[in-house]
Amino acid sequence: MSIVVQKYGGSSVADVSKLRQVAARVMRTRATGHDVVVVVSAMGDTTDDLLSLAKQVSANPDRRELDMLLTAGERISMALLSIAIRELGGDAISFTGSQSGIITNDRHVDARIIEVRPVRVQDELARGKIVVIAGYQGVSYRREVTTLGRGGSDTTAVAMAAALGAEYCEICSDVDGVYTADPRVVPEARRIGTLSYEETQELAESGAKVLNAQAVEFAKEAGIAIYARATAAPLPGPDPSADGTVVRKHAPRVPGTVVGVASEKDVLVVAFRAGSPVEREGVSRGDAHAVLALLDEQRVAGKQLHVADGRMTMVVSRENLHEEGRVRAAIEARFGGQVTIADTLAAVSVVGAGINASFQNVRRGSDALAAAGIKAEGIATSSFRITWMVDSLCIDDAVRLLHRTFIR
Ligand code: ADP
Ligand code: ASP
Ligand code: MG
């Protein structure tokens, strides 16, 4: 029997009646003759609520203890969903990340999956069970409980789909696929029927929350098709791109087409300048590499690194940075005024294969922003993306503007 992996996000399991709807959808899938593995997120805002509890106890909560706390969220949903499926007559069994064989490195709070050993999942499928797995979590080689970073249930689902050789991995959410921009920000955004792995990964890394970037990376490696769909939508039919988004190899597209606009609001821009004016007693002066070493020591993951002429800038996502105060203090103690940290900027990106074959798109976007009075504090490009750093107060306007400019 072919295996289908389905992931249900937090909004899809936010309360008991929604859990029941998910259980019914799982039962309908089972009735089509598939083996079904279900990955669930924590109910509603549970993860945010747990994080805020930890923050009330400590401004810089310990990462290991955060993982112990945060994994509880998904554990609640897995058990409740399993109970709901059993109530409908299904034979379900729930497993934590550790029980289902998700092995990670030991980077607490944003661990990476390094191996999946789904023996127990396979055994239970062979017994005819529906297996319900707690998303977003795993266990390290040192047998420590870990979490995979915000949005990590998608990663659990795709990694499990790859390990089981699933037919496809369905990511079910409150939105019926990947849109040309966040439909909450751009009401005229359109659903995209088919996307390539590279386009989707770039959109996700630029802040499109609907799919997790690491999940897409795993899907690409294993060649697993992702179906992004609404939980309320019917099961995938013969053409799942008709009422959802299919992420797969070779999406048909004219090179140079912008497929979407994404933004990331909650970022820090860390800047280093050799020989800054502030020279203080006890502060040893360093170079850009020393800054990177310190960030690694503090387990801060940065992106869009740019080093030139004794200057360095880097964008750090705050999503998995729960001890910002401690990190800032460590930077201040080591580098003083050599390093500045700005929290007033946000990143807006347009994404598409080959969009930087000429400078036409960069110029077009920059002109549009300038004409609207939105100052670009920085521009970065890759073969798939153009990113402008703008004042975070105008980020949604910038997204709407670039969507109007590039997506017809
Ligand atoms: P879940 O809890 O199901 O994982 P998320 O909140 O993580 O759901 O992701 C779904 C949300 O992502 C949508 O409600 C939507 O507002 C947002 N989103 C951001 N960018 C996009 C996009 N390009 N297409 C669709 N949704 C997007
Ligand atoms: N519950 C986790 C989060 O809120 C994981 C997920 O939903 O994918 O980030
Ligand atoms: Mg999500």
Side-chain angles (χ1 to χ4, degrees):
M1 239 194 293
S2 72
I3 301 172
V4 165
V5 175
Q6 297 179 328
K7 176 256 169 176
Y8 293 96
S11 54
S12 305
V13 292
D15 56 40
V16 169
S17 104
K18 290 190 166 171
L19 266 166
R20 285 203 178 108
Q21 287 165 28
V22 167
R25 195 173 185 279
V26 171
M27 290 297 279
R28 285 204 299 280
T29 311
R30 182 82 181 108
T32 62
H34 289 105
D35 274 342
V36 188
V37 173
V38 187
V39 174
V40 268
S41 290
M43 296 170 77
D45 297 328
T46 302
T47 307
D48 287 330
D49 295 345
L50 291 172
L51 263 172
S52 118
L53 268 179
K55 287 273 176 186
Q56 287 173 49
V57 179
S58 162
N60 295 294
D62 180 75
R63 287 178 154 232
R64 178 189 181 276
E65 301 310 325
L66 267 185
D67 276 351
M68 296 301 257
L69 177 72
L70 298 180
T71 45
E74 269 68 12
R75 204 168 165 142
I76 293 171
S77 352
M78 80 180 193
L80 288 176
L81 182 61
S82 188
I83 293 169
I85 293 170
R86 298 185 75 82
E87 190 64 16
L88 295 179
D91 194 3
I93 180 168
S94 66
F95 283 138
T96 63
S98 156
Q99 287 174 315
S100 43
I102 306 277
I103 317 291
T104 72
N105 64 10
D106 59 1
R107 244 186 104 100
H108 284 293
V109 171
D110 59 356
R112 264 189 82 93
I113 297 178
I114 46 184
E115 200 187 336
V116 181
R117 295 185 199 148
V119 196
R120 291 191 70 181
V121 176
Q122 285 161 323
D123 283 353
E124 296 302 338
L125 289 176
R127 289 192 183 106
K129 305 243 187 200
I130 294 166
V131 180
V132 182
I133 296 174
Y136 176 54
Q137 53 181 271
V139 65
S140 76
Y141 273 119
R142 294 159 61 188
R143 303 196 63 77
E144 287 287 345
V145 170
T146 52
T147 58
L148 307 176
R150 298 306 304 268
S153 297
D154 296 353
T155 315
T156 304
V158 175
M160 193 47 78
L164 296 171
E167 194 178 319
Y168 57 84
C169 179
E170 221 182 329
I171 304 284
C172 303
S173 185
D174 57 353
V175 59
D176 61 346
V178 182
Y179 276 61
T180 49
D182 187 341
R184 287 179 209 253
V185 177
V186 184
E188 66 271 22
R190 295 188 312 259
R191 183 176 50 78
I192 311 167
T194 316
L195 276 170
S196 72
Y197 292 119
E198 291 80 6
E199 289 164 342
T200 316
Q201 205 176 334
E202 207 72 48
L203 277 172
E205 265 162 19
S206 309
K209 240 178 95 187
V210 59
L211 285 175
N212 178 285
Q214 210 189 114
V216 183
E217 186 191 321
F218 283 1
K220 180 177 158 190
E221 271 168 28
I224 293 277
I226 298 180
Y227 296 174
R229 302 177 66 75
T231 300
L235 299 180
D239 177 13
S241 69
D243 55 355
T245 296
V246 176
V247 181
R248 64 166 164 83
K249 225 173 163 177
H250 306 311
R253 189 110 49 226
V254 179
T257 314
V258 170
V259 292
V261 183
S263 67
E264 203 174 354
K265 287 177 202 170
D266 219 6
V267 296
L268 298 175
V269 179
V270 178
F272 165 88
R273 189 149 60 91
S276 287
V278 180
E279 184 105 54
R280 298 184 325 170
E281 224 176 297
V283 175
S284 57
R285 303 179 72 82
D287 59 13
H289 288 278
V291 180
L292 299 182
L294 182 87
L295 291 175
D296 266 344
E297 209 177 278
Q298 298 286 326
R299 303 216 146 184
V300 176
K303 47 184 173 185
Q304 282 179 49
L305 171 67
H306 185 75
V307 185
D309 295 335
R311 285 166 189 261
M312 180 205 81
T313 55
M314 181 201 287
V315 177
V316 173
S317 166
R318 271 172 150 167
E319 206 176 28
N320 297 309
L321 184 60
H322 306 301
E323 316 128 290
E324 189 178 318
R326 213 193 61 201
V327 172
R328 280 177 180 268
I331 289 175
E332 171 66 20
R334 172 80 175 77
F335 297 102
Q338 275 190 301
V339 173
T340 56
I341 301 175
D343 53 14
T344 54
L345 295 178
V348 56
S349 306
V350 299
V351 168
I355 59 170
N356 286 315
S358 73
F359 293 115
Q360 213 182 336
N361 288 318
V362 181
R363 289 192 294 117
R364 203 164 151 208
S366 299
D367 288 349
L369 289 169
I374 300 174
K375 186 163 180 254
E377 303 285 349
I379 304 176
T381 63
S382 76
S383 53
F384 270 85
R385 160 161 53 155
I386 308 167
T387 301
W388 290 268
M389 298 303 301
V390 301
D391 187 328
S392 51
L393 293 176
C394 19
I395 188 69
D396 286 349
D397 288 335
V399 170
R400 284 186 283 267
L401 176 70
L402 293 176
H403 192 271
R404 268 201 310 278
T405 306
F406 285 101
I407 316 248
R408 263 157 291 174

